[in-house]
Amino acid sequence: MPIGTRRGLTLIELLIGIVLGSFLGTIMVGLGLAAERSTRHTREAGQLARNLDTVLDFLESELADAGTDPSGADLLRLGADSLTWRATRGVGLACLVGSSEVRVLQGRWGGARLPQPGRDSLLLYAGADSLQTDSLVWLALPILGVSSSSCAGAPALRLQTSLDTTLTPLGRLPALVPVRVFEIMQVRLYSSLGSWWFGGRSVTAGEVIQPLAGPFLAGGLRFSYLDSAAQPTPSSGMVRSIAVVVRGSAAGRTDSAAAHWAPANLLP
Amino acid sequence: MSRNGGALLGALLLILLLGGLGALAFAAGRLRSLAGAHALAAALAVTAAEAGVERAEAAWDPIVAGRLGIGSSTALPPRPAMNGVGSQDTLLRLGRGLYLVRSVGERRAADGHLEARAGVARLIRLEGPGIPDSVAAFVGGGVTVSADSGIRGEDAIPPFWDSVCPPATVPGIGVASAPSAGVTTLCPSGACLTGSPPASTDSALPGGLFAQMGVATPAVLVRHAEAFVSGVVVPGPALAGAVCDRQRADNWGDPLAPGAPCGDYFPIIAASPGTEVTGGAGQGLLLAAGSLTLSGTSQFRGVILALADLVLEDDAEVYGVVLVQGQLLVGGNALVQRSTCGVRRGLEGSARPLRPVARGALEWP
């Protein structure tokens, strides 16, 4: 075989190639791993930020209508990492109030869904239609059934209920009576599959808790309930603002978010 | 010589990979940007709606509110949208003194398409002074009623008000006075003072009622007064074009023509001590910081509160209720006639301030 028709790599060239290849490979793998770590951290940090936003947005939205008056407070049970409250599911104006029914004008109803018997209850404005009295109260009533009806030809929702008319003289109510439909909701931090989750459930519907956001750190949800002097209070009727802190971890780092808000109906 | 190098292929793959990563990063950034823009638009819509409610309260027009029938609604004057953010505000009357202000806030893009909408509402009660309408005259000092004059405790509808008043109710008391105050009737058999009973004593007088009327005090009411008068005044309705001119201090509404432009105007009038009303007509809530005299053919419908003496003479007439911390002197042909409708309308029209209702803020989608 003639010499020189094919030229192979010398050992030196081969070694140089291997070294350079290894070097470049190491750099590429290193860069890839760094990129992967960065991507994972960014993704987890973004997920954590979204989780925190989800919790705060949910609470702020759900508690926007929470209020209080001499008849009671909408914040029912105050816990360090849980809260139970009356969550408004609709508002409307009643054209007829009787001892066994409340008819709500459909054209004056605003809500994400229709009232559900058993699950929802009613808050009926029972403040006297007078300029001179100070009896500003809302009555909590059960919703025993829902059907279609009408008021002077206008479509209405007929909510069956039970109202003691001896305690609430119907004659003193305004012609159109404001109503709220609410269900009792609870949120809390709970553990599942080794992680902590922010979950919520409808208490009146008897639901089991469902995850809304997470995972968070153990003890990663803290409520504070403040009175008009911004001091912590254990009394739901005295609460004027709510502060919440949520904490989670992402890629080995701890992150947190906090919010403090005063629902309009809790202001004095 | 053939070469099977992979550099170009590798470079292309690398470019594709980097391009893909860049595209993903751009898409993620774009998504977050859109989410942020949407959240901003939603927040602006809520803010616009809340501002609409606040504006409706701040610019409360008692005539517009008073003329609104129960169960009726009216659109409030619109404000031009700023940077695509605006609201549509509506006032709905739920009862005599209960209203619902609803505002729908919107955020629109530069091309006009709707980006976000939010609705909020608030219940509002008119807060009037707590003045009983069961008595024609509450008097802290003495009362003197002369022969041809009268203090009448029977409920009566003021002249020209038949179309705006419900039927009269049960008779009330003529004069409720402090135990130490004397009641003098200079007429046969006391016929110039009537009621059921014509006179009674009220141990709470002359204290509380003159200083604290329900949730209102005279000072609070004076702060909300539309008209400040002193000296001699002859009130009467005044128009600015076709509408009631509420800038004039001598315009106290039009009690003789309820359907006229000033017929629904029930101002709070603050009178300096020594003010004399020598004629004309008015309605609403008349607060006298000292003594007050009504004479001539002056007529008033509503509530008069005098923190010193009140003198009615000649043919002066009051339909409603008078509260007199000092002495009440009724002479000539003057008349103090109890009128529940006069009290109610006088206070409704002049009801201030607005009072928030517990749980009155509503998220109304």
Side-chain angles (χ1 to χ4, degrees):
Chain A
M1 189 172 65
I3 299 173
T5 55
R6 290 200 174 189
R7 185 174 179 274
L9 294 172
T10 66
L11 180 60
I12 299 296
E13 288 174 331
L14 190 61
L15 286 173
I16 289 173
I18 290 171
V19 169
L20 285 177
S22 301
F23 182 67
L24 287 174
T26 303
I27 290 175
M28 292 300 290
V29 169
L31 287 174
L33 288 175
E36 193 275 335
R37 276 198 302 272
S38 175
T39 303
R40 183 161 53 89
H41 180 267
T42 303
R43 186 178 66 244
E44 290 183 359
Q47 179 66 35
L48 177 59
R50 282 193 293 278
N51 275 335
L52 301 179
D53 287 347
T54 299
V55 173
L56 299 183
D57 290 348
F58 177 81
L59 290 173
E60 192 164 356
S61 167
E62 284 283 293
L63 294 168
D65 281 348
T68 185
D69 70 16
S71 68
D74 288 338
L75 302 179
L76 301 176
R77 280 189 290 280
L78 313 179
D81 63 356
S82 67
L83 176 61
T84 305
W85 77 102
R86 291 168 171 166
T88 302
R89 294 295 175 249
V91 294
L93 297 174
C95 51
L96 185 149
V97 176
S99 59
S100 62
E101 66 170 318
V102 173
R103 290 187 199 174
V104 180
L105 289 167
Q106 286 192 5
R108 302 283 190 191
W109 166 258
R113 59 172 174 77
L114 291 176
Q116 296 178 13
R119 178 180 190 134
D120 296 330
S121 300
L122 196 63
L123 272 177
L124 180 83
Y125 175 78
D129 183 21
S130 162
L131 299 178
Q132 300 170 7
T133 58
D134 203 24
S135 56
L136 300 174
V137 294
W138 293 73
L139 286 179
L141 304 172
I143 296 178
L144 306 173
V146 178
S147 57
S148 296
S149 184
S150 65
C151 264
L157 291 170
R158 179 173 178 265
L159 309 179
Q160 291 173 255
T161 188
S162 177
L163 170 63
D164 186 345
T165 55
T166 59
L167 297 176
T168 308
L170 301 180
R172 71 175 200 174
L173 297 178
L176 292 174
V177 186
V179 296
R180 288 171 182 269
V181 169
F182 70 92
E183 66 179 318
I184 296 177
M185 291 287 295
Q186 182 190 57
V187 291
R188 64 183 169 89
L189 197 66
Y190 72 102
S191 175
S192 176
L193 302 175
S195 297
W196 289 89
W197 304 86
F198 173 79
R201 71 185 185 104
S202 168
V203 175
T204 43
E207 291 176 342
V208 297
I209 197 148
Q210 299 290 325
L212 296 170
F216 294 109
L217 294 171
L221 176 69
R222 279 288 176 270
F223 288 106
S224 301
Y225 309 97
L226 308 175
D227 62 15
S228 57
Q231 297 300 311
T233 176
S235 169
S236 59
M238 302 294 289
V239 175
R240 295 294 175 266
S241 65
I242 303 168
V244 60
V245 177
V246 283
R247 290 191 307 125
S249 67
R253 288 167 48 179
T254 298
D255 202 355
S256 65
H260 178 204
W261 70 95
N265 286 322
L266 288 180
L267 293 176
Chain B
M1 184 176 68
S2 70
R3 292 200 173 193
N4 294 323
L8 180 61
L9 186 61
L12 287 173
L13 284 174
L14 192 61
I15 289 171
L16 280 176
L17 182 65
L18 290 174
L21 285 172
L24 277 176
F26 178 79
R30 173 78 177 149
L31 198 61
R32 288 193 70 84
S33 172
L34 285 175
H38 178 72
L40 176 63
L44 286 171
V46 171
T47 302
E50 290 174 343
V53 171
E54 297 287 344
R55 193 170 57 236
E57 282 192 53
W60 188 264
D61 187 331
I63 288 189
V64 170
R67 284 185 174 163
L68 204 56
I70 293 174
S72 301
S73 63
T74 184
L76 296 173
R79 292 291 181 95
M82 293 180 63
N83 298 323
V85 180
S87 68
Q88 297 169 347
D89 312 324
T90 309
L91 178 66
L92 170 62
R93 188 171 189 176
L94 306 181
R96 278 176 50 201
L98 187 67
Y99 293 82
L100 180 82
V101 174
R102 187 171 176 227
S103 179
V104 177
E106 289 182 348
R107 156 77 179 185
R108 290 184 178 276
D111 62 2
H113 89 266
L114 183 65
E115 288 186 333
R117 173 179 286 163
V120 301
R122 188 175 299 169
L123 291 170
I124 292 171
R125 266 182 19 135
L126 298 185
E127 190 59 89
I131 297 175
D133 60 5
S134 57
V135 178
F138 292 94
V139 184
V143 180
T144 302
V145 196
S146 63
D148 294 324
S149 63
I151 299 176
R152 309 292 180 199
E154 301 82 17
D155 190 14
I157 296 173
F160 309 108
W161 282 23
D162 292 302
S163 62
V164 293
C165 285
T169 60
V170 295
I173 301 168
V175 171
S177 60
S180 60
V183 177
T184 305
T185 53
L186 304 175
C187 52
S189 307
C192 49
L193 176 58
T194 60
S196 178
S200 70
T201 57
D202 186 341
S203 59
L205 296 174
L209 188 56
F210 304 114
Q212 186 74 42
M213 294 164 289
V215 296
T217 64
V220 167
L221 294 171
V222 166
R223 281 206 299 273
H224 290 87
E226 276 93 354
F228 293 85
V229 296
S230 60
V232 176
V233 60
V234 180
L239 302 180
V243 299
C244 190
D245 184 357
R246 289 183 274 172
Q247 303 302 315
R248 289 185 52 165
D250 61 350
N251 180 5
W252 298 2
D254 193 349
L256 307 183
C262 291
D264 290 327
Y265 180 39
F266 295 85
I268 298 177
I269 307 132
S272 300
T275 298
E276 295 181 29
V277 183
T278 58
Q283 59 189 2
L285 177 55
L286 176 53
L287 302 167
S291 62
L292 175 70
T293 300
L294 274 70
S295 62
T297 57
S298 58
Q299 299 185 46
F300 193 83
R301 315 274 194 265
V303 177
I304 295 178
L305 168 63
L307 297 182
D309 298 341
L310 175 62
V311 179
L312 276 79
E313 54 193 25
D314 303 330
D315 294 313
E317 285 183 355
V318 174
Y319 277 78
V321 61
V322 298
L323 297 88
V324 186
Q325 196 161 13
Q327 294 197 32
L328 173 60
L329 307 171
V330 185
N333 293 310
L335 174 67
V336 175
Q337 174 67 58
R338 172 177 167 258
S339 171
T340 55
C341 183
V343 174
R344 179 178 65 80
R345 294 196 82 215
L347 294 181
E348 270 187 15
S350 59
R352 323 271 193 300
L354 307 179
R355 181 177 169 84
V357 175
R359 289 196 182 91
L362 309 168
E363 298 278 321
W364 200 306

